Amino acid sequence: MHHESALLNVIDVEATCWDGQPPPGSVNEIIEIGLTVVDVSARRRVSRHRVLVRPVRSAVSDFCTELTGLTQAEVERGVTFAEACRILVEEYEAGERPWASWGEYDRRQFARQSQADGVAYPFGYPTERTHTNAKAVFAAAYGLRKKPGMNHALQIAGLPLEGRHHRGEDDAWNIAALVLDLLGRGAWPVTATAV
């Protein structure tokens, strides 16, 4: 029996960034896509993945390297944004499978960059059907007035930070742990897992 809707993609992106304004002509571009697949029915993280993306309209700053650990030399070995989107669709069924991120940044960044690069948005439409803002769900479940950052949310939930914060692959893994916490509390929206 095929239970594809039981799988959820948890995604976290890292993008080029600067301490202050970007250099003239530079824009934020995705340089790493972290993805953890969660089996919602089994309530476990089943796999973790990382796609490095080569920026074309910006470069990795020293500030960005300090924050993410990623270097320009490393991301230059990555794939194009179009290829990264193809990988998401073909290997992780991004167009069909529901997905979650911590906040709205990742969804907006994909939408902006898809439009700028003339690449099809990989996650299907409408985005409300396929995307869940795990940060908003967490804040509501815990009765918080302010939506906490991922690291703070892990502390609130009594979960460890695994790996390096601001590394897409590790952050997606940690966000997936928070999704599992919310599932365990019965707070994860059912629509976020039904296609």
Side-chain angles (χ1 to χ4, degrees), residues 57-159:
R57 292 185 299 284
S58 62
V60 177
S61 67
D62 290 343
F63 171 80
C64 193
T65 296
E66 198 174 301
L67 187 68
T68 66
L70 295 166
T71 64
Q72 181 66 29
E74 191 175 3
V75 300
E76 278 176 4
R77 294 192 300 270
V79 298
T80 62
F81 179 69
E83 175 66 7
C85 290
R86 186 200 63 74
I87 290 168
L88 289 174
V89 170
E90 291 182 10
E91 295 180 24
Y92 305 106
E93 301 180 17
E96 309 299 319
R97 198 179 284 171
W99 69 291
S101 63
W102 197 256
E104 292 292 333
Y105 174 82
D106 305 78
R107 184 184 62 75
R108 289 188 187 126
Q109 182 61 34
F110 265 105
R112 270 194 304 268
Q113 197 161 337
S114 293
Q115 187 172 22
D117 289 10
V119 172
Y121 180 74
F123 299 108
Y125 291 98
T127 54
E128 303 76 48
R129 180 186 70 81
T130 62
H131 180 257
T132 300
N133 177 340
K135 183 193 265 192
V137 174
F138 184 90
Y142 278 83
L144 305 172
R145 284 202 316 268
K146 283 183 65 182
K147 296 180 185 108
M150 181 207 76
N151 201 12
H152 188 215
L154 289 168
Q155 292 169 4
I156 292 167
L159 297 169

Side-chain angles (χ1 to χ4, degrees), residues 35-56:
L35 187 151
T36 294
V37 179
V38 173
D39 183 327
V40 174
S41 11
R43 296 190 179 193
R44 64 187 185 93
R45 299 175 284 191
V46 291
S47 61
R48 62 190 287 163
H49 311 275
R50 169 182 204 224
V51 180
L52 286 178
V53 184
R54 187 170 57 249
V56 292

